[in-house]
Amino acid sequence: MTAPCPHCGTTTIAFTPVEAQFEAVVRALANGSKTLAAGEFRYFAQCTDAEAAAWVAHLLHCAHAWPQAGADEAVLAQVEAAFAGVAKPDHFTDRTHCDECREHDDTLRARTRGTLRRQDLGNAGWDPITFSSADGIGYFFPALARFALLPDVWPQHSWYADQLVLHLAWDGSDNRLLAWCNPAQRSAVHALLAHLVATRGQAAVHHQFDEELQAALAAWQPPSA
């Protein structure tokens, strides 16, 4: 039996692995093997090779395909609510500026919050969000937050939390997204950063962006009442 993803529309086998099974798939992905991950899933789901490969591909493409801990879902719900009213802009970059701006604009215009993929977000040296307008970042922020809470399983890319934190720490209190956000959005971003500190603090140390995480947390601190 198959079912379409309500977020990205991809149709995959309708099987939800239990926690231990899912952890086995994630370990395989973290070790750089989509083939082994698909093999693990095929064993658990008793499906075909093609069905298993498609399920793993969907997992890597769609941030909503991942189960989240309750605390993760709570902060993501706050982010979703705060940014829900942000419309998708017609353009994300000044596409007339250069070829890179045009390519990044094309990449982001082709996606929605539900269809944005990790590979669309590149890396520190090729990151479309760096070139995006603040309202463009605001539109995609619920998806960016969700990717930031996922494990580091994309060998071609860094852990996305690192990239997102750098965007949020840039220019401190003069951060362009910070200036654009309303109070509810600022509080949601701060809640996400505080959640990263509380639940992924050691991972931030391991990935060497713990100082940037603390700087971002300080910059996004809501003003005292």
Side-chain angles (χ1 to χ4, degrees), residues 32-159:
S33 179
K34 290 186 287 187
T35 301
L36 181 56
E40 295 277 17
F41 181 80
R42 184 184 66 245
Y43 174 77
F44 299 135
Q46 294 296 292
C47 63
T48 66
D49 288 344
E51 288 171 330
W55 188 89
V56 169
H58 177 234
L59 188 69
L60 291 172
H61 290 160
C62 180
H64 289 272
W66 294 73
Q68 296 282 5
D72 287 357
E73 285 294 357
V75 75
L76 288 171
Q78 183 179 351
V79 169
E80 292 273 1
F83 289 88
V86 181
K88 183 179 181 180
D90 292 333
H91 291 282
F92 290 84
T93 73
D94 178 5
R95 63 181 292 110
T96 63
H97 179 261
C98 64
D99 289 344
E100 187 174 2
C101 287
R102 182 169 58 254
E103 183 171 344
H104 288 324
D105 189 42
D106 288 342
T107 295
L108 296 176
R109 290 179 68 205
R111 298 298 187 192
T112 66
R113 289 170 178 159
T115 63
L116 189 70
R117 299 181 176 187
R118 174 64 187 91
Q119 55 263 47
D120 295 328
L121 300 172
N123 52 55
W126 184 263
D127 185 345
I129 297 301
T130 300
F131 293 79
S132 176
S133 59
D135 60 327
I137 300 173
Y139 169 73
F140 276 121
F141 197 80
L144 304 182
R146 194 167 287 273
F147 275 116
L149 295 182
L150 297 185
D152 182 15
V153 297
W154 285 268
Q156 305 92 336
H157 304 289
S158 62
W159 182 30

